[in-house]
Amino acid sequence: MLRKRLRMDLQLFSGEKTEKATPKKRQESRKKGQVAKSAEVPSTLILLACISFLVMLGPFLERQLLSLIGDAFLYRLNMQVTDSNVLSLFNHYAIEMLVLLAPVFVIVVVIAFAANYVQIGWLFTTEPLKPKFNKLNPINGAKNLFGMRTVVEFLKSGLKLVCVGLIVFMVLWSEKKRLLDLAHLPVQDIFAFVTSLTVRLGLFIAVLLFILAIGDFMYQRYEYEKNLRMSKQDIKDEYKNVEGDPLIKGKIKERQRRMALMRMMQEVPSADVIITNPTHFAVALKYDSEKMDAPTVVAKGQDYLALRIREIAKQNEVITMENKPLARALYERTEVGQSVPADLFQAVAEVLAYVYRLKGRR
């Protein structure tokens, strides 16, 4: 136990960042645009989606492209070259190409937005766009150039290059016989074979890169959590900034208690009666039939405070009556400023009636 306590004290004074980040620290980091995300995830998903789109709509795109090229050779070669004709031709082909490429653009935008939303949710901040002059520091630049993150990025790029090269080699090696026979095939069959091989390579590479991107995302989350870690002193300082210094809060509460006590003591001279235990409890009651529906507790106290209430009552000639069960019940069941409970009305009414008779009041 002593060893554990000593280790915690050493961590506290050494400032070692061993604690998880607080919600406030995470929120501040998010506002600055510092989130755990991988740029590889959307890029690989876009590549995979585009290849899949081309595979599914390949025949349609082929017909549209052949129709576009055929239109140029069949109907546009004899066209008179003028400004209006060239502009009209350019607009026609621009629209046709836009129709062909529009689905790809839509897929790219949707996949990019969805991939980033899944990683970090909805986030819009201009903080990363603000200029930071500390990035111009050559010392910091050298640290970033030879830092651990640079090494990891180099290893990640090398791994991707090796994996892609291995896939290309394996696919081409499996088709080596057909590659040797391409010289004896017509041009149309050669194009069909190359297209099929390219699509297969693209799918394999895209799937592999997506798997590597998931690993990169997990690493980015680990690095993000590591950078967000806080020391015990950081957590204490944050708590002080949010909740306030406990010493100052204690002093404020103490002053508030003193002020409340002073206000309560100022109400004792205006009370009608002080009900005592006789030494442990004292409760001051006041009743004004024009302003109150029931008698109200204006002050109460125990031990020393009860003695102080009795002294003030004696100095101001407020009648004090001993009633142990009633004093205890009022002290335990009421707060200052509250009315007397209904089941104690009868007992309090008898006390007040006796007090009024002593004062000669009706």
Side-chain angles (χ1 to χ4, degrees):
M1 186 68 181
L2 182 60
R3 185 177 300 175
K4 183 178 180 181
R5 177 72 177 180
L6 181 60
R7 185 167 62 250
M8 293 177 63
D9 291 340
L10 288 174
Q11 290 177 355
L12 176 62
F13 289 110
S14 63
E16 185 179 354
K17 298 183 182 297
T18 57
E19 306 300 316
K20 290 185 178 180
T22 59
K24 182 175 182 297
K25 179 72 176 291
R26 294 179 183 276
Q27 186 177 5
E28 291 177 352
S29 176
R30 184 176 178 83
K31 286 181 179 179
K32 295 178 182 179
Q34 299 173 357
V35 291
K37 69 172 183 177
S38 172
E40 305 291 335
V41 174
S43 61
T44 54
L45 283 177
I46 289 172
L47 176 62
L48 186 60
C50 290
I51 294 175
S52 302
F53 172 77
L54 293 176
V55 169
M56 291 185 295
L57 298 181
F60 169 76
L61 296 177
E62 181 186 5
R63 288 195 299 270
Q64 291 296 109
L65 189 60
L66 290 176
S67 174
L68 193 63
I69 297 174
D71 177 76
F73 280 102
L74 293 176
Y75 306 107
R76 308 294 180 178
L77 292 179
N78 297 327
M79 181 186 69
Q80 187 176 1
V81 180
T82 61
D83 293 341
S84 59
N85 288 341
V86 171
L87 184 60
S88 174
L89 180 65
F90 177 78
N91 292 335
H92 172 72
Y93 285 136
I95 294 173
E96 292 292 333
M97 292 300 297
L98 184 62
V99 171
L100 284 176
L101 298 177
V104 178
F105 292 152
V106 172
I107 289 175
V108 170
V109 173
V110 171
I111 294 296
F113 178 81
N116 284 284
Y117 182 80
V118 169
Q119 290 186 90
I120 62 175
W122 174 253
L123 176 63
F124 178 78
T125 178
T126 59
E127 190 69 24
L129 301 178
K130 294 181 179 179
K132 296 180 180 179
F133 297 101
N134 59 348
K135 292 184 177 180
L136 301 178
N137 190 342
I139 298 177
N140 294 335
K143 289 181 180 179
N144 294 332
L145 184 61
F146 299 101
M148 186 64 186
R149 190 176 187 85
T150 305
V151 174
V152 172
E153 291 296 328
F154 174 76
L155 293 177
K156 184 174 64 177
S157 301
L159 179 63
K160 287 194 295 185
L161 183 62
V162 170
C163 292
V164 170
L166 186 61
I167 286 180
V168 172
F169 173 77
M170 292 175 63
V171 172
L172 293 180
W173 185 259
S174 64
E175 298 289 344
K176 59 180 179 178
K177 292 184 179 180
R178 295 189 62 184
L179 288 172
L180 295 175
D181 295 336
L182 288 180
H184 307 288
L185 296 178
V187 176
Q188 185 174 1
D189 292 344
I190 293 175
F191 275 114
F193 172 74
V194 172
T195 302
S196 173
L197 187 63
T198 304
V199 169
R200 191 164 28 145
L201 280 173
L203 286 174
F204 287 158
I205 293 173
V207 171
L208 174 65
L209 292 179
F210 179 67
I211 295 174
L212 295 177
I214 293 176
D216 179 62
F217 174 70
M218 296 175 65
Y219 170 75
Q220 297 295 340
R221 284 191 66 88
Y222 165 77
E223 193 71 16
Y224 174 74
E225 293 292 336
K226 181 181 177 181
N227 293 332
L228 276 186
R229 284 179 186 171
M230 305 172 65
S231 64
K232 295 182 182 296
Q233 186 62 40
D234 292 337
I235 296 177
K236 286 189 175 182
D237 294 340
E238 181 184 294
Y239 178 79
K240 287 182 180 180
N241 293 331
V242 175
E243 302 293 335
D245 193 332
L247 296 177
I248 297 177
K249 289 180 65 178
K251 291 181 179 179
I252 293 174
K253 289 182 179 180
E254 180 64 25
R255 181 170 295 182
Q256 290 174 345
R257 283 194 296 266
R258 289 181 181 178
M259 294 177 64
L261 183 60
M262 291 176 59
R263 288 194 298 268
M264 185 180 73
M265 290 304 181
Q266 291 173 359
E267 294 292 332
V268 173
S270 64
D272 291 321
V273 63
I274 308 297
I275 302 176
T276 64
N277 194 21
T279 56
H280 294 295
F281 299 101
V283 180
L285 296 178
K286 181 179 180 179
Y287 179 60
D288 187 345
S289 60
E290 296 180 356
K291 299 179 181 180
M292 302 177 183
D293 296 330
T296 303
V297 176
V298 295
K300 70 173 190 176
Q302 185 179 6
D303 297 332
Y304 172 77
L305 194 56
L307 177 61
R308 183 62 182 154
I309 291 174
R310 291 197 303 272
E311 290 177 352
I312 296 175
K314 185 177 181 181
Q315 293 172 3
N316 293 274
E317 298 181 352
V318 178
I319 297 175
T320 301
M321 292 189 61
E322 180 181 338
N323 190 328
K324 295 181 180 180
L326 182 58
R328 180 179 290 273
L330 289 173
Y331 182 86
E332 293 178 350
R333 298 175 56 185
T334 59
E335 298 295 335
V336 176
Q338 290 185 350
S339 300
V340 173
D343 57 330
L344 299 179
F345 278 178
Q346 182 65 31
V348 173
E350 292 176 359
V351 172
L352 290 177
Y354 176 73
V355 171
Y356 292 157
R357 283 197 299 270
L358 290 178
K359 291 182 177 181
R361 296 169 53 185
R362 296 182 181 276

